[in-house]
Amino acid sequence: MKEIMAFIRLNMVNPTKHALAKVGYPSFTCSKAVGRGKRPLAAEAIQVIMENAGSVPADEIGEHLSEGIRLVPRRSFSLIVDDEQVALAVKTIIQVNQTGTPGDGRLFVMPVAEGYNIRTGERQVKELDR
């Protein structure tokens, strides 16, 4: 089994939920997240941060810089699917969220070694024994 984790724009939560449910994945976790992508910082921002031991100074310059490197609100989707279902789930998430502009999001696929039902203690996934 695999975990698919996707970081998407706030306004894409409902379309993503509906698209996943439509193709057979109604179960997922969605949570608030903040972060930033790979867009480079301005050279002067990097210089000031380096001069302050890697942190943004607490003055007017720091306030200005924090706007340039602010963390952007996102939503994090996480779902667990069988190995054979990964391609469909990934394709669905990408189709719904892809606009072709920077900031569309990021998606990761990770192996799941084990899973347990907390209520019953039943083991649900054991990929490593396969």
Side-chain angles (χ1 to χ4, degrees):
M1 296 192 85
K2 304 286 188 210
E3 177 183 10
I4 299 171
M5 183 186 314
F7 296 92
I8 64 170
R9 297 176 192 268
L10 299 178
N11 64 330
M12 299 307 290
V13 170
N14 283 331
T16 302
K17 285 189 324 190
H18 295 303
L20 287 171
K22 186 175 180 178
V23 295
Y25 307 109
S27 302
F28 53 82
T29 299
C30 182
S31 58
K32 294 179 180 180
V34 293
R36 65 177 311 275
K38 292 195 269 183
R39 180 174 279 167
L41 296 174
E44 61 272 7
I46 294 171
Q47 180 66 32
V48 171
I49 291 169
M50 295 304 288
E51 289 171 0
N52 286 281
S55 62
V56 176
D59 58 12
E60 288 181 26
I61 294 172
E63 287 181 32
H64 176 71
L65 289 176
S66 67
E67 283 303 306
I69 59 172
R70 68 186 173 87
L71 298 177
V72 179
R74 297 283 181 204
R75 289 296 181 260
S76 170
F77 268 80
S78 177
L79 60 151
I80 309 297
V81 300
D82 289 326
D83 291 351
E84 304 79 36
Q85 300 173 329
V86 170
L88 177 59
V90 167
K91 178 181 171 185
T92 300
I93 293 169
I94 289 174
Q95 282 180 337
V96 170
N97 290 279
Q98 189 175 55
T99 66
T101 59
D104 280 347
R106 186 70 65 176
L107 186 143
F108 302 95
V109 179
M110 300 160 287
V112 175
E114 296 183 65
Y116 293 86
N117 181 315
I118 293 175
R119 181 178 54 86
T120 64
E122 178 186 2
R123 181 186 229 162
Q124 295 178 315
V125 179
K126 183 115 174 46
E127 183 176 80
L128 297 178
D129 286 344
R130 290 185 188 173

mmCIF file of all heavy atoms in Angstrom, residues 88-110:
data_model
loop_
_atom_site.group_PDB
_atom_site.id
_atom_site.type_symbol
_atom_site.label_atom_id
_atom_site.label_comp_id
_atom_site.label_asym_id
_atom_site.label_seq_id
_atom_site.Cartn_x
_atom_site.Cartn_y
_atom_site.Cartn_z
ATOM 1 N N LEU A 88 -4.138 6.035 -10.604
ATOM 2 C CA LEU A 88 -5.430 6.711 -10.762
ATOM 3 C C LEU A 88 -5.584 7.850 -9.759
ATOM 4 O O LEU A 88 -6.018 8.950 -10.109
ATOM 5 C CB LEU A 88 -6.586 5.726 -10.620
ATOM 6 C CG LEU A 88 -7.990 6.331 -10.697
ATOM 7 C CD1 LEU A 88 -8.219 7.045 -12.032
ATOM 8 C CD2 LEU A 88 -9.044 5.255 -10.472
ATOM 9 N N ALA A 89 -5.219 7.615 -8.506
ATOM 10 C CA ALA A 89 -5.344 8.658 -7.482
ATOM 11 C C ALA A 89 -4.431 9.841 -7.805
ATOM 12 O O ALA A 89 -4.855 11.004 -7.722
ATOM 13 C CB ALA A 89 -5.019 8.090 -6.108
ATOM 14 N N VAL A 90 -3.191 9.566 -8.197
ATOM 15 C CA VAL A 90 -2.247 10.637 -8.535
ATOM 16 C C VAL A 90 -2.759 11.419 -9.741
ATOM 17 O O VAL A 90 -2.770 12.658 -9.743
ATOM 18 C CB VAL A 90 -0.837 10.061 -8.803
ATOM 19 C CG1 VAL A 90 0.071 11.090 -9.456
ATOM 20 C CG2 VAL A 90 -0.222 9.561 -7.504
ATOM 21 N N LYS A 91 -3.190 10.706 -10.771
ATOM 22 C CA LYS A 91 -3.700 11.355 -11.987
ATOM 23 C C LYS A 91 -4.891 12.258 -11.656
ATOM 24 O O LYS A 91 -4.981 13.389 -12.145
ATOM 25 C CB LYS A 91 -4.117 10.284 -12.992
ATOM 26 C CG LYS A 91 -4.695 10.821 -14.271
ATOM 27 C CD LYS A 91 -5.109 9.677 -15.193
ATOM 28 C CE LYS A 91 -5.880 10.208 -16.380
ATOM 29 N NZ LYS A 91 -6.385 9.115 -17.219
ATOM 30 N N THR A 92 -5.788 11.788 -10.800
ATOM 31 C CA THR A 92 -6.974 12.572 -10.425
ATOM 32 C C THR A 92 -6.581 13.855 -9.705
ATOM 33 O O THR A 92 -7.073 14.942 -10.032
ATOM 34 C CB THR A 92 -7.900 11.722 -9.532
ATOM 35 O OG1 THR A 92 -8.297 10.558 -10.257
ATOM 36 C CG2 THR A 92 -9.122 12.505 -9.102
ATOM 37 N N ILE A 93 -5.690 13.748 -8.730
ATOM 38 C CA ILE A 93 -5.272 14.932 -7.968
ATOM 39 C C ILE A 93 -4.577 15.936 -8.884
ATOM 40 O O ILE A 93 -4.834 17.144 -8.815
ATOM 41 C CB ILE A 93 -4.371 14.529 -6.786
ATOM 42 C CG1 ILE A 93 -5.176 13.724 -5.760
ATOM 43 C CG2 ILE A 93 -3.745 15.762 -6.130
ATOM 44 C CD1 ILE A 93 -4.331 13.049 -4.697
ATOM 45 N N ILE A 94 -3.709 15.461 -9.756
ATOM 46 C CA ILE A 94 -2.993 16.364 -10.659
ATOM 47 C C ILE A 94 -3.954 17.036 -11.634
ATOM 48 O O ILE A 94 -3.885 18.257 -11.840
ATOM 49 C CB ILE A 94 -1.870 15.616 -11.408
ATOM 50 C CG1 ILE A 94 -0.742 15.284 -10.431
ATOM 51 C CG2 ILE A 94 -1.338 16.448 -12.572
ATOM 52 C CD1 ILE A 94 0.353 14.417 -11.012
ATOM 53 N N GLN A 95 -4.868 16.276 -12.219
ATOM 54 C CA GLN A 95 -5.807 16.864 -13.185
ATOM 55 C C GLN A 95 -6.636 17.975 -12.565
ATOM 56 O O GLN A 95 -6.877 19.003 -13.189
ATOM 57 C CB GLN A 95 -6.736 15.790 -13.756
ATOM 58 C CG GLN A 95 -6.091 14.937 -14.814
ATOM 59 C CD GLN A 95 -7.038 13.885 -15.364
ATOM 60 O OE1 GLN A 95 -8.009 13.486 -14.717
ATOM 61 N NE2 GLN A 95 -6.744 13.416 -16.562
ATOM 62 N N VAL A 96 -7.078 17.775 -11.334
ATOM 63 C CA VAL A 96 -7.924 18.774 -10.682
ATOM 64 C C VAL A 96 -7.132 20.022 -10.301
ATOM 65 O O VAL A 96 -7.646 21.138 -10.399
ATOM 66 C CB VAL A 96 -8.589 18.169 -9.421
ATOM 67 C CG1 VAL A 96 -9.282 19.230 -8.594
ATOM 68 C CG2 VAL A 96 -9.563 17.079 -9.814
ATOM 69 N N ASN A 97 -5.888 19.849 -9.885
ATOM 70 C CA ASN A 97 -5.116 20.960 -9.319
ATOM 71 C C ASN A 97 -4.157 21.639 -10.278
ATOM 72 O O ASN A 97 -3.612 22.690 -9.952
ATOM 73 C CB ASN A 97 -4.356 20.464 -8.090
ATOM 74 C CG ASN A 97 -5.283 20.169 -6.949
ATOM 75 O OD1 ASN A 97 -5.692 21.075 -6.230
ATOM 76 N ND2 ASN A 97 -5.665 18.914 -6.789
ATOM 77 N N GLN A 98 -3.945 21.085 -11.444
ATOM 78 C CA GLN A 98 -2.954 21.626 -12.371
ATOM 79 C C GLN A 98 -3.514 22.807 -13.154
ATOM 80 O O GLN A 98 -4.445 22.667 -13.923
ATOM 81 C CB GLN A 98 -2.511 20.532 -13.338
ATOM 82 C CG GLN A 98 -1.343 20.902 -14.193
ATOM 83 C CD GLN A 98 -0.892 19.708 -15.024
ATOM 84 O OE1 GLN A 98 -1.692 19.132 -15.746
ATOM 85 N NE2 GLN A 98 0.367 19.344 -14.894
ATOM 86 N N THR A 99 -2.932 23.996 -12.917
ATOM 87 C CA THR A 99 -3.328 25.189 -13.671
ATOM 88 C C THR A 99 -2.204 25.660 -14.580
ATOM 89 O O THR A 99 -2.400 26.523 -15.416
ATOM 90 C CB THR A 99 -3.699 26.360 -12.734
ATOM 91 O OG1 THR A 99 -2.523 26.776 -12.037
ATOM 92 C CG2 THR A 99 -4.792 25.978 -11.749
ATOM 93 N N GLY A 100 -1.012 25.128 -14.363
ATOM 94 C CA GLY A 100 0.132 25.537 -15.165
ATOM 95 C C GLY A 100 0.858 26.745 -14.625
ATOM 96 O O GLY A 100 1.765 27.272 -15.263
ATOM 97 N N THR A 101 0.473 27.210 -13.450
ATOM 98 C CA THR A 101 1.139 28.367 -12.845
ATOM 99 C C THR A 101 1.893 27.921 -11.590
ATOM 100 O O THR A 101 1.519 26.933 -10.958
ATOM 101 C CB THR A 101 0.127 29.467 -12.469
ATOM 102 O OG1 THR A 101 -0.823 28.915 -11.555
ATOM 103 C CG2 THR A 101 -0.590 29.989 -13.691
ATOM 104 N N PRO A 102 2.942 28.655 -11.216
ATOM 105 C CA PRO A 102 3.660 28.304 -9.986
ATOM 106 C C PRO A 102 2.714 28.313 -8.790
ATOM 107 O O PRO A 102 1.831 29.161 -8.693
ATOM 108 C CB PRO A 102 4.711 29.407 -9.854
ATOM 109 C CG PRO A 102 4.919 29.902 -11.248
ATOM 110 C CD PRO A 102 3.571 29.789 -11.919
ATOM 111 N N GLY A 103 2.890 27.362 -7.902
ATOM 112 C CA GLY A 103 2.049 27.287 -6.711
ATOM 113 C C GLY A 103 0.917 26.294 -6.828
ATOM 114 O O GLY A 103 0.068 26.204 -5.943
ATOM 115 N N ASP A 104 0.872 25.506 -7.915
ATOM 116 C CA ASP A 104 -0.185 24.506 -8.065
ATOM 117 C C ASP A 104 -0.118 23.454 -6.970
ATOM 118 O O ASP A 104 -1.131 22.862 -6.621
ATOM 119 C CB ASP A 104 -0.096 23.813 -9.422
ATOM 120 C CG ASP A 104 -0.706 24.630 -10.546
ATOM 121 O OD1 ASP A 104 -1.408 25.620 -10.256
ATOM 122 O OD2 ASP A 104 -0.484 24.276 -11.716
ATOM 123 N N GLY A 105 1.039 23.219 -6.408
ATOM 124 C CA GLY A 105 1.154 22.269 -5.309
ATOM 125 C C GLY A 105 2.227 21.238 -5.539
ATOM 126 O O GLY A 105 2.995 21.289 -6.494
ATOM 127 N N ARG A 106 2.252 20.272 -4.653
ATOM 128 C CA ARG A 106 3.261 19.214 -4.690
ATOM 129 C C ARG A 106 2.592 17.934 -4.208
ATOM 130 O O ARG A 106 1.724 17.956 -3.347
ATOM 131 C CB ARG A 106 4.414 19.597 -3.771
ATOM 132 C CG ARG A 106 5.590 18.710 -3.771
ATOM 133 C CD ARG A 106 6.388 18.748 -5.023
ATOM 134 N NE ARG A 106 6.991 20.064 -5.215
ATOM 135 C CZ ARG A 106 7.807 20.350 -6.193
ATOM 136 N NH1 ARG A 106 8.120 19.430 -7.080
ATOM 137 N NH2 ARG A 106 8.314 21.544 -6.311
ATOM 138 N N LEU A 107 3.026 16.807 -4.779
ATOM 139 C CA LEU A 107 2.442 15.518 -4.437
ATOM 140 C C LEU A 107 3.567 14.514 -4.202
ATOM 141 O O LEU A 107 4.543 14.495 -4.949
ATOM 142 C CB LEU A 107 1.549 15.054 -5.595
ATOM 143 C CG LEU A 107 0.741 13.798 -5.376
ATOM 144 C CD1 LEU A 107 -0.610 13.948 -6.038
ATOM 145 C CD2 LEU A 107 1.444 12.598 -5.912
ATOM 146 N N PHE A 108 3.419 13.691 -3.155
ATOM 147 C CA PHE A 108 4.411 12.678 -2.816
ATOM 148 C C PHE A 108 3.723 11.329 -2.669
ATOM 149 O O PHE A 108 2.601 11.257 -2.178
ATOM 150 C CB PHE A 108 5.117 13.022 -1.496
ATOM 151 C CG PHE A 108 5.798 14.354 -1.519
ATOM 152 C CD1 PHE A 108 5.156 15.483 -1.044
ATOM 153 C CD2 PHE A 108 7.081 14.481 -2.020
ATOM 154 C CE1 PHE A 108 5.768 16.719 -1.071
ATOM 155 C CE2 PHE A 108 7.715 15.719 -2.051
ATOM 156 C CZ PHE A 108 7.054 16.832 -1.572
ATOM 157 N N VAL A 109 4.398 10.266 -3.061
ATOM 158 C CA VAL A 109 3.901 8.898 -2.884
ATOM 159 C C VAL A 109 4.920 8.165 -2.025
ATOM 160 O O VAL A 109 6.105 8.137 -2.355
ATOM 161 C CB VAL A 109 3.727 8.185 -4.236
ATOM 162 C CG1 VAL A 109 3.242 6.755 -4.029
ATOM 163 C CG2 VAL A 109 2.760 8.952 -5.130
ATOM 164 N N MET A 110 4.436 7.590 -0.906
ATOM 165 C CA MET A 110 5.332 6.940 0.044
ATOM 166 C C MET A 110 4.826 5.550 0.389
ATOM 167 O O MET A 110 3.610 5.331 0.440
ATOM 168 C CB MET A 110 5.421 7.783 1.319
ATOM 169 C CG MET A 110 5.951 9.181 1.067
ATOM 170 S SD MET A 110 5.555 10.345 2.380
ATOM 171 C CE MET A 110 3.826 10.599 2.105
#
